[in-house]
Amino acid sequence: MHLTRFRFNTARVGARRVLSSPHILHAAVMSSFAEIPQPGEDGARVLWRVDRNSRAETYLYLVSPDKPDLTHLVEQAGWPHTGGWQTFDYGGFLSRLATGDQWAFRLTANPVHTVRRNDDEPTKLTAHVGLHHQRDWLLKRQENAGFKVMEKPEERRLAPQDEHELVIQDRRQLSFRKSRESKPVTLVTVTYDGRLQITDADAFRRTLISGLGKAKAYGCGLMTLAEA
């Protein structure tokens, strides 16, 4: 597995075009590989996420079984003469993760649930739009994903529901087309920042390489870690 980071030159028209649509960026990401990667037996797949730390500091993070070549992105949306991208060996890091470890994390996800207005209708996916439901979406998945979000000490809680080391930010409703003739695709994305403890190292490794939730082709599901 590989972890790659690429910085966009947001002053360039090409960067703004690529960042304008998850569909365009998905195509650019998949063009980084000579052959289209297929999910492995362990669930490993291509995952990506855009972090907008500021208007001028926008990064693409990419986790992939194969090593990518982002030359085309550098030429269109980066610094062709002075900048590039960094790819790191992710497998060694994953192998060192252990139950009980604590980490800071960031995850951009598509929090959805299934609804049905009556028994005669099929269920359909609907986005969670409230902060409470978006928070609960993650908390309900943490056990199967091999981690738990850390709880705050009582003296640091600002409200009855402020129990966890978890911040929800960068909530977006995206709308884009896959082609000029297609219907618009609407997507709600949320970025979670917080602290976690690993409860099942094997399950957690699967989460990091296979993603969490839906809309993985459009920049959702990738969780990255940093020292807590």
Side-chain angles (χ1 to χ4, degrees):
M1 296 296 297
H2 300 84
L3 172 66
T4 300
R5 184 178 70 172
F6 167 80
R7 184 176 179 180
F8 286 96
N9 181 351
T10 54
R12 299 187 64 181
V13 173
R16 295 196 293 272
R17 176 182 175 275
V18 170
L19 290 168
S20 69
S21 167
H23 181 66
I24 294 175
L25 188 45
H26 169 70
V29 167
M30 299 309 287
S31 297
S32 303
F33 306 96
E35 297 182 4
I36 297 177
Q38 301 298 323
E41 295 181 0
D42 56 357
R45 57 173 295 159
V46 175
L47 299 168
W48 60 272
R49 186 184 78 221
V50 173
D51 282 5
R52 295 172 173 85
N53 299 332
S54 69
R55 185 173 182 179
E57 189 177 337
T58 301
Y59 289 95
L60 170 70
Y61 287 90
L62 173 62
V63 165
S64 57
D66 300 322
K67 193 172 183 179
D69 182 344
L70 301 184
T71 302
H72 61 298
L73 268 179
V74 174
E75 293 173 344
Q76 297 173 30
W79 285 268
H81 300 295
T82 60
W85 68 94
Q86 300 84 40
T87 296
F88 309 94
D89 173 29
Y90 203 37
F93 172 77
L94 293 173
S95 67
R96 293 191 295 272
L97 294 174
T99 298
D101 287 353
Q102 296 183 14
W103 294 90
F105 74 90
R106 173 169 289 180
L107 165 72
T108 294
N110 171 226
V112 296
H113 63 123
T114 56
V115 297
R116 175 187 289 166
R117 290 183 296 183
N118 57 64
D119 293 339
D120 297 328
E121 288 188 355
T123 59
K124 67 174 183 178
L125 285 177
T126 302
H128 285 303
V129 293
L131 280 171
H132 172 75
H133 293 103
Q134 290 173 344
R135 182 199 65 202
D136 285 352
W137 177 90
L138 179 62
L139 297 178
K140 289 177 180 177
R141 284 157 179 78
Q142 59 182 348
E143 182 178 356
N144 288 339
F147 69 93
K148 66 177 181 180
V149 179
M150 303 293 292
E151 293 188 0
K152 287 183 178 180
E154 289 190 11
E155 62 271 18
R156 291 182 49 218
R157 299 178 185 180
L158 303 178
Q161 295 181 343
D162 185 30
E163 301 174 355
H164 296 89
E165 298 277 6
L166 183 65
V167 177
I168 296 175
Q169 59 183 357
D170 201 19
R171 304 162 71 203
R172 294 172 178 262
Q173 181 166 317
L174 309 175
S175 182
F176 56 94
R177 297 176 185 270
K178 296 183 180 181
S179 67
R180 291 184 179 179
E181 297 77 20
S182 65
K183 294 181 179 179
V185 176
T186 301
L187 192 67
V188 170
T189 66
V190 174
T191 297
Y192 301 88
D193 284 311
R195 292 181 60 200
L196 61 76
Q197 183 175 48
I198 300 174
T199 56
D200 182 332
D202 290 335
F204 188 59
R205 276 188 281 268
R206 286 194 295 272
T207 297
L208 295 180
I209 64 175
S210 62
L212 188 61
K214 296 187 178 296
K216 297 183 180 74
Y218 298 125
C220 297
L222 172 58
M223 176 184 284
T224 54
L225 305 177
E227 290 190 6

